[in-house]
């Protein structure tokens, strides 16, 4: 028996079981799959029920900024960086007929800039430097962190606040430092998914920004709400 076969039997014994045990495993996996799907749906439903008013208020703030010709800056780390890219694409390149393109910049896209600032200044300021250069009063900063504790997002929100941008945070678990900033009035909107599961947080964030995208475009068609 080769070393690779020894490793496989040690760490993946179910691959070497007989047919009966394999069937049992598949039954367990089917149950697990459906449990995860149900949990995902339950987490999202509970989150949206608890945060409906805040989501609508944040969407209206975004719509007002876009109506005035302002732009959206988006940032995050790791998986949240890919969500930030996704958000920028959704606003810049709407796939729904009749929805207009809106200006959005993902601050993680320019790797030369990110690595230059990280190398010369520090990773905590990779977004701050870009906000100073690209942001202006009335713009929107949307930062995503599953823990709510990302230091570079905290710095970004502090800078955006000083520059009078509208600030929106997506967080998870207890909201971390972002929730604390919101409580102290240093973050305009903090939308926290209250679970410790990173997967459920990320899944809810995806649903959240798709729904907010739709709310923003719907609100842009309502002159009365935009003028309030």
């Amino acid at each position: 028996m080769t070393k690779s076969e020894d490793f496989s039997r040690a760490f993946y014994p179910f691959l070497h079981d007989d047919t009966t045990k394999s069937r049992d495993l598949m039954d367990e996996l089917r149950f697990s799959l459906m449990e995860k799907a149900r949990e995902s749906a339950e987490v999202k439903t509970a989150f949206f029920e608890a945060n409906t008013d805040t989501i609508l208020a944040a969407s209206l703030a975004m719509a007002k900024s876009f109506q005035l010709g302002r732009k959206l800056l988006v940032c995050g780390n790791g998986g949240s960086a890919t969500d930030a890219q996704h958000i920028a694409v959704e606003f810049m390149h709407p796939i729904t007929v009749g929805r207009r393109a809106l200006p959005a910049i993902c601050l993680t896209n320019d790797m030369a800039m990110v690595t230059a600032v990280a190398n010369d200044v520090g990773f905590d300021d990779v977004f701050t430097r870009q906000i100073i250069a690209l942001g202006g009063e009335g713009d929107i900063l949307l930062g995503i962190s599953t823990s709510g504790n990302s230091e570079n997002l905290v710095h970004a929100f502090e800078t955006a606040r000083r520059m009078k941008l509208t600030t929106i945070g997506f967080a998870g678990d207890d909201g971390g430092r972002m929730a604390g900033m919101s409580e102290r009035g240093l973050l305009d909107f903090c939308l926290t998914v209250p679970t410790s599961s990173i997967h459920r947080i990320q899944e809810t964030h995806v649903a959240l920004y798709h729904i907010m995208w739709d709310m923003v475009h719907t609100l842009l068609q309502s002159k009365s709400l935009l003028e309030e």
Side-chain angles (χ1 to χ4, degrees):
M1 186 178 297
T2 65
K3 288 184 177 180
S4 62
E5 289 176 332
D6 286 340
F7 178 88
S8 178
R9 287 182 179 278
F11 288 91
Y12 306 106
F14 59 85
L15 295 177
H16 305 275
D17 286 345
D18 58 31
T19 305
T20 301
K21 290 183 178 179
S22 295
R23 282 200 298 266
D24 291 342
L25 173 65
M26 290 305 295
D27 288 340
E28 291 176 8
L29 290 174
R30 287 189 186 92
F31 177 79
S32 176
L33 185 155
M34 291 308 302
E35 283 297 294
K36 292 179 190 300
R38 277 190 284 269
E39 180 188 29
S40 181
E42 288 169 0
V43 168
K44 285 195 282 287
T45 299
F47 168 79
F48 285 107
E49 287 177 346
N51 292 277
T52 300
D53 291 342
T54 305
I55 294 167
L56 287 174
S59 299
L60 180 58
M62 292 178 70
K64 288 182 175 180
S65 292
F66 284 128
Q67 184 67 15
L68 293 172
R70 305 296 189 259
K71 61 184 172 296
L72 170 65
L73 305 178
V74 202
C75 55
N77 298 284
S80 296
T82 63
D83 282 328
Q85 289 178 314
H86 191 163
I87 292 169
V89 171
E90 291 286 352
F91 280 96
M92 288 281 284
H93 179 59
I95 60 173
T96 303
V97 175
R99 298 290 176 87
R100 76 182 203 233
L102 298 168
I105 301 171
C106 177
L107 302 182
T108 64
N109 282 359
D110 189 342
M111 278 296 98
M113 176 61 68
V114 169
T115 53
V117 176
N119 184 64
D120 298 339
V121 182
F123 193 70
D124 291 348
D125 291 306
V126 292
F127 302 136
T128 297
R129 287 298 180 95
Q130 295 183 76
I131 293 166
I132 292 170
L134 300 172
E137 183 175 347
D139 287 343
I140 311 149
L141 175 65
L142 172 54
I144 310 167
S145 170
T146 55
S147 68
N149 289 316
S150 300
E151 191 69 30
N152 53 18
L153 288 187
V154 172
H155 284 208
F157 285 129
E158 290 172 345
T159 299
R161 190 70 175 181
R162 288 195 299 269
M163 294 175 61
K164 298 182 180 180
L165 278 71
T166 296
T167 51
I168 303 171
F170 290 2
D173 203 354
D174 64 359
R177 294 179 64 187
M178 285 165 53
M181 294 179 74
S182 178
E183 291 169 1
R184 299 193 306 274
L186 302 177
L187 181 60
D188 293 315
F189 303 98
C190 185
L191 292 157
T192 301
V193 183
T195 174
S196 59
S197 169
I198 302 299
H199 291 155
R200 304 296 88 85
I201 294 167
Q202 291 175 326
E203 290 158 4
T204 306
H205 283 173
V206 172
L208 174 59
Y209 60 71
H210 279 130
I211 288 172
M212 287 185 67
W213 176 89
D214 191 60
M215 294 295 100
V216 167
H217 280 282
T218 300
L219 288 163
L220 283 170
Q221 299 173 14
S222 175
K223 290 185 178 180
S224 59
L225 286 173
L226 293 174
E227 291 173 354
E228 286 183 358

